[in-house]
């Protein structure tokens, strides 16, 4: 279960609560592949926490089952929201508290240990943008415990007929008794773009498609068995992240999954995606990611951090030579024994489908 933090403001927050959805947008754009990759990360029963700009953090909600789970709807409630939200997902109450945790309490008040800082949100705040941020398992536990403590473990009492809203005076979430029927979501639930089709179109026209490849992964992790050798077995995946900030230098891990087997042994899969042949430079990226994982993710050690590289199969001899140089760098990295040996996958297109092959090097 991943926890996602959605950004709202004083105009949009009551609407999200009343109609029970979360969303993100990019000004007047109708599509935005990076935002789509972010929202495609959500899965049913994932947790949702709202960050109200200038106020603090509210929760806790969960992602509701829906078909489609993530949908495109840029017009419904636009006047009430005061902005365009192109990608949306339905939510439902999980463990909803009336009060909030201030930004100062969550992010600026320094804890005893640096590892207890919620760095994912610090980095997001420094960088700006992106309205849907994944936070790690431990960060989620800390933020949720802050909400529980702040509210003395007293959740809002509500029935299926009740709705929620936000009180601008008390700055608390409040129950609207018997009003659920007044806030039925009647907007369109359009499918989002055909991500795989866009990758193929860009590949044929020799245009960059790495962002689309990331969206393909977030859409299909834990769903398409073809990705299990890379991202982990569907039944064992307990956390999914993309664009995971791992330092003030704003380095970001393309895809990060955490798996846990029946004995609760975890594996941390650090995945770098490429839309061109690998080069030795990728090893320096992986080294930074592995070092960050060591330092920040609880329980991450040399034997359970799995660095992975995914890139297209070279179509020329020159491309294969580049890969050979990259594989030499893989061997040098493996000899450092700071993580498990790098796994390398190449992909190709066959009948408009992506085929992944693990490469021995």
């Amino acid at each position: 279960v991943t926890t996602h933090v959605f950004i709202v403001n004083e105009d949009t927050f009551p609407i999200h609560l009343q109609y029970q959805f979360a969303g993100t947008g990019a000004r007047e754009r109708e599509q935005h592949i990076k935002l789509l990759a972010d929202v495609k990360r959500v899965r049913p029963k994932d947790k949702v926490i709202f960050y109200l700009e200038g106020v603090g953090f509210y929760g806790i909600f969960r992602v509701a089952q829906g078909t489609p789970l993530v949908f495109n709807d840029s017009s419904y409630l636009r006047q009430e929201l005061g902005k365009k939200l192109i990608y949306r997902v339905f939510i439902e109450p999980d463990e909803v508290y009336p009060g909030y945790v201030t930004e100062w309490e969550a992010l600026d008040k320094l804890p005893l240990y640096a590892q207890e800082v919620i760095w994912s949100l610090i980095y997001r705040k420094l960088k700006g943008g992106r309205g849907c941020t994944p936070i790690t398992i431990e960060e989620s536990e800390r933020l949720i415990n802050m909400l529980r403590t702040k509210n003395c473990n007293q959740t809002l009492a509500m029935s299926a007929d009740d709705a929620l809203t936000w009180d601008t005076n008390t700055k608390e979430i409040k129950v609207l008794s018997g009003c659920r029927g007044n806030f039925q979501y009647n907007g369109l639930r359009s499918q989002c773009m055909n991500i795989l089709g866009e990758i193929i179109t860009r590949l044929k026209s020799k245009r960059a498609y790495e962002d689309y490849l990331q969206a393909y992964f977030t859409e299909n992790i834990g769903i398409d068995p073809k990705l299990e050798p890379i991202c982990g077995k569907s039944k064992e995946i307990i956390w999914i992240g993309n664009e995971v900030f791992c330092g003030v230098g704003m380095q970001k891990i393309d895809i990060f999954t955490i798996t846990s087997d029946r004995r609760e042994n975890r594996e941390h899969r650090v995945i770098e995606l490429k839309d061109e042949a690998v080069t030795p430079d990728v090893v320096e990226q992986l080294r930074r990611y592995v070092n960050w994982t060591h330092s920040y993710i609880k329980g991450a050690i040399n034997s359970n951090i799995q660095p992975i590289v995914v890139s297209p199969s070279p179509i020329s001899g020159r491309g294969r030579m580049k890969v050979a140089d990259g594989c030499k760098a893989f061997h040098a990295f493996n000899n450092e024994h700071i993580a498990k040996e790098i796994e390398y996958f190449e992909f190709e297109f066959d009948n408009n489908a992506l085929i992944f092959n693990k490469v021995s090097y």
Side-chain angles (χ1 to χ4, degrees):
V1 174
T2 304
T3 298
H4 315 269
V5 176
F6 282 84
I7 303 173
V8 292
N9 59 37
E10 293 191 2
D11 295 322
T12 62
F13 192 31
I15 307 302
H16 285 302
L17 294 175
Q18 291 161 6
Y19 290 88
Q20 294 193 10
F21 75 99
T24 186
R27 298 184 184 276
E28 294 302 310
R29 294 177 63 170
E30 284 292 338
Q31 293 186 354
H32 191 289
I33 189 58
K34 292 185 177 181
L35 292 183
L36 182 57
D38 291 349
V39 182
K40 282 287 187 178
R41 179 203 326 120
V42 304
R43 299 291 183 267
K45 298 183 180 180
D46 276 1
K47 294 186 183 296
V48 169
I49 292 175
F50 286 105
Y51 167 54
L52 176 55
E53 294 176 313
V55 181
F57 297 88
Y58 291 84
I60 307 157
F61 301 85
R62 62 176 173 262
V63 176
Q65 183 69 58
T67 305
L69 183 62
V70 176
F71 55 95
N72 188 314
D73 187 357
S74 61
S75 58
Y76 187 60
L77 299 172
R78 183 177 178 182
Q79 184 174 352
E80 291 86 347
L81 290 164
K83 65 189 303 183
K84 177 188 282 188
L85 296 177
I86 47 180
Y87 303 125
R88 307 184 184 196
V89 60
F90 286 118
I91 61 172
E92 55 193 15
D94 182 25
E95 185 182 333
V96 182
Y97 295 97
Y100 60 96
V101 173
T102 68
E103 183 176 342
W104 179 82
E105 291 169 320
L107 305 183
D108 298 328
K109 181 182 178 182
L110 293 178
L112 181 60
Y113 300 104
Q115 196 177 40
E116 295 179 354
V117 176
I118 304 178
W119 289 110
S120 296
L121 297 177
I122 295 288
Y123 296 147
R124 194 222 64 81
K125 185 179 177 183
L126 290 173
K127 183 69 174 178
R130 308 294 279 265
C132 174
T133 300
I135 58 177
T136 68
I137 295 171
E138 288 72 29
E139 290 173 334
S140 173
E141 290 174 352
R142 289 195 290 275
L143 189 52
I144 288 172
N145 284 333
M146 287 182 190
L147 280 164
R148 289 170 178 161
T149 301
K150 193 68 178 289
N151 289 274
C152 300
N153 291 317
Q154 296 297 310
T155 58
L156 286 170
M158 59 182 299
S159 70
D161 294 328
D162 297 335
L164 295 172
T165 192
W166 181 71
D167 190 305
T168 58
N169 295 317
T170 64
K171 300 191 182 303
E172 291 188 342
I173 296 176
K174 291 196 172 181
V175 174
L176 297 175
S177 299
C179 293
R180 184 76 189 99
N182 297 336
F183 301 105
Q184 295 300 310
Y185 192 100
N186 296 316
L188 297 175
R189 304 180 192 182
S190 303
Q191 294 281 356
C192 301
M193 75 170 74
N194 180 347
I195 296 170
L196 182 57
E198 186 64 28
I199 291 175
I200 294 171
T201 298
R202 286 174 168 266
L203 183 66
K204 290 179 179 178
S205 59
K206 297 182 179 180
R207 297 164 62 194
Y209 60 87
E210 191 173 306
D211 290 336
Y212 294 82
L213 185 63
Q214 184 183 124
Y216 174 85
F217 268 74
T218 59
E219 181 177 54
N220 291 289
I221 291 172
I223 299 171
D224 188 342
K226 288 187 302 183
L227 294 183
E228 287 192 353
I230 301 172
C231 303
K233 295 180 180 179
S234 301
K235 293 181 180 180
E236 295 182 352
I237 295 173
I238 61 172
W239 192 83
I240 301 170
N242 70 301
E243 294 286 289
V244 178
F245 284 112
C246 57
V248 292
M250 297 306 168
Q251 297 91 357
K252 291 174 287 186
I253 302 170
D254 289 334
I255 300 290
F256 193 136
T257 64
I258 301 176
T259 62
S260 179
D261 62 18
R262 291 181 180 178
R263 296 182 178 180
E264 298 187 354
N265 295 314
R266 289 188 180 183
E267 184 170 73
H268 307 82
R269 292 175 174 251
V270 179
I271 304 166
E272 177 66 18
L273 305 177
K274 296 293 183 185
D275 60 3
E276 55 187 9
V278 297
T279 63
D281 294 345
V282 72
V283 167
E284 292 306 313
Q285 290 180 273
L286 291 174
R287 183 177 288 106
R288 289 196 297 268
Y289 302 159
V290 167
N291 288 336
W292 176 83
T293 303
H294 267 298
S295 301
Y296 189 60
I297 302 299
K298 184 179 180 180
I301 56 177
N302 297 27
S303 61
N304 65 20
I305 301 176
Q306 178 63 72
I308 299 172
V309 178
V310 180
S311 75
S313 300
I315 58 176
S316 67
R318 185 177 180 182
R320 183 53 64 187
M321 290 176 63
K322 287 184 178 180
V323 171
D325 290 338
C327 290
K328 289 179 181 178
F330 292 170
H331 285 294
F333 175 93
N334 294 340
N335 289 335
E336 297 177 32
H337 304 293
I338 62 173
K340 299 178 77 170
E341 292 188 352
I342 295 171
E343 291 188 350
Y344 174 46
F345 291 83
E346 291 182 349
F347 62 85
E348 56 189 2
F349 294 91
D350 183 23
N351 293 324
N352 291 335
L354 270 177
I355 306 298
F356 296 90
N357 300 297
K358 187 175 181 179
V359 178
S360 298
Y361 56 89

